[in-house]
Amino acid sequence: MRLVIFTEPQQGAGYDDLRRVAQLAEEAGFDGFFRSDHYVAMGGDGLPGPTDAWLTLAALAVQTSTIRLGTLVTSATFRLPGPLAIGVAQVDAMSGGRVELGLGGGWFEREHEAYAIPFPPLGERFDRLEEQLEIIEGLWTTPVGEAYSFVGKHYQVVDSPALPKPVQSPRPPIIVGGSGKKRTPALAARFADEFNAPFTKIEDLPARYDRVRTASSAIGRPQPPAFSAAAVMCVGRDDAEVRRRAAAIGRDVEEMRGNGGVVGTPDQAVEILGRYAEAGASRMYLQLLDLDDLQHVELVAAAVAPQLA
């Protein structure tokens, strides 16, 4: 089981907060540091205000050296596919080939209203996501010296030089995730290296993963994407510390446990992560909501991660 620290900066974090957590996660041996891509807090004031996902990752690319960096997930409504492909390829180069692109259709209407971002209907958002995935992959994998073109309903590419190329070959890993029963598994089967099921009860994971396996078989893909999951992290040395950490993020211990959270003492967290592994997940995104609680990261690294090995 590979462990990733997953942050939600829109809830209230500046770049320095993210840098401290990312550098500690790297020192502690976590597989990755990922962040959400949102512009408005979901409860609370969100101070000091949002940070841009790919500007953050560009800076972290040169202020870390080994940890994987990525988004869970970038919203296709925020960026055009060509500039996104260029930006991610540049961050991949800046990091020495450590970037992963999680890409989704976008869902939070309020942040679109707040920052003048068009928010198409659901069907159109999926259509645009599909075209963006195809364009980004095409731009990255077209051989140097050849041109790339694409004609879609929403985007057209005409004789692009398809540069720059990312460091990772043939391209950085692409992550697709969500709870959709048809189009999401189909997009994951077609484009993704990893399928992520975010904040899902453990008993519901096998069915979600099976839909991706079925979609992969339907297009003749012999090996489906790797499977991962995301869950809130609230680990303490004892029950009192668990309750204290839950109170700090305004959550109830039993509520988090009932929704698949990695909640409890280190031994309890190991047992929960084992259940995720049995369900098919090989990578866990541990949602860290209190970015000031660096001891939380250290505890999981010292008392949970070694048991998973």
Side-chain angles (χ1 to χ4, degrees), residues 127-305:
D127 292 342
R128 288 179 176 273
L129 172 60
E130 181 173 4
E131 291 187 16
Q132 287 210 12
L133 286 164
E134 183 164 351
I135 290 169
I136 291 168
E137 182 173 62
L139 290 171
W140 283 345
T141 59
T142 295
V144 174
E146 297 184 14
Y148 173 74
S149 296
F150 172 85
V151 177
K153 181 178 180 181
H154 301 286
Y155 305 104
Q156 294 78 44
V157 180
V158 180
D159 293 335
S160 172
L163 297 172
K165 299 302 182 193
V167 169
Q168 295 176 87
S169 180
R171 56 166 176 72
I174 290 174
I175 303 166
V176 171
S179 58
K181 294 184 178 181
K182 294 183 178 180
R183 296 197 69 177
T184 299
L187 290 176
R190 185 176 170 192
F191 296 107
D193 300 280
E194 177 181 314
F195 171 77
N196 180 265
F199 309 106
T200 303
K201 292 182 178 180
I202 299 173
E203 57 267 27
D204 294 335
L205 286 175
R208 289 200 185 183
Y209 296 157
D210 282 344
R211 286 194 284 268
V212 177
R213 291 188 184 97
T214 299
S216 298
S217 296
I219 63 171
R221 179 175 178 174
Q223 183 68 33
F227 296 127
S228 65
V232 65
M233 177 176 74
C234 186
V235 180
R237 292 177 177 83
D238 52 34
D239 290 342
E241 189 168 83
V242 173
R243 290 193 298 272
R244 178 180 65 76
R245 287 202 161 107
I249 60 175
R251 299 284 292 272
D252 177 77
V253 170
E254 294 307 316
E255 172 269 319
M256 289 189 287
R257 283 177 175 155
N259 288 293
V262 180
V263 179
T265 63
D267 287 346
Q268 290 170 328
V270 170
E271 187 274 330
I272 293 167
L273 291 168
R275 292 172 56 205
Y276 272 103
E278 290 172 0
S282 60
R283 196 184 204 193
M284 280 299 302
Y285 294 80
L286 301 175
Q287 185 192 44
L288 178 69
L289 293 175
D290 184 357
L291 300 188
D292 292 325
D293 189 359
L294 299 182
Q295 291 181 341
H296 196 184
V297 178
E298 293 171 338
L299 175 63
V300 173
V304 176

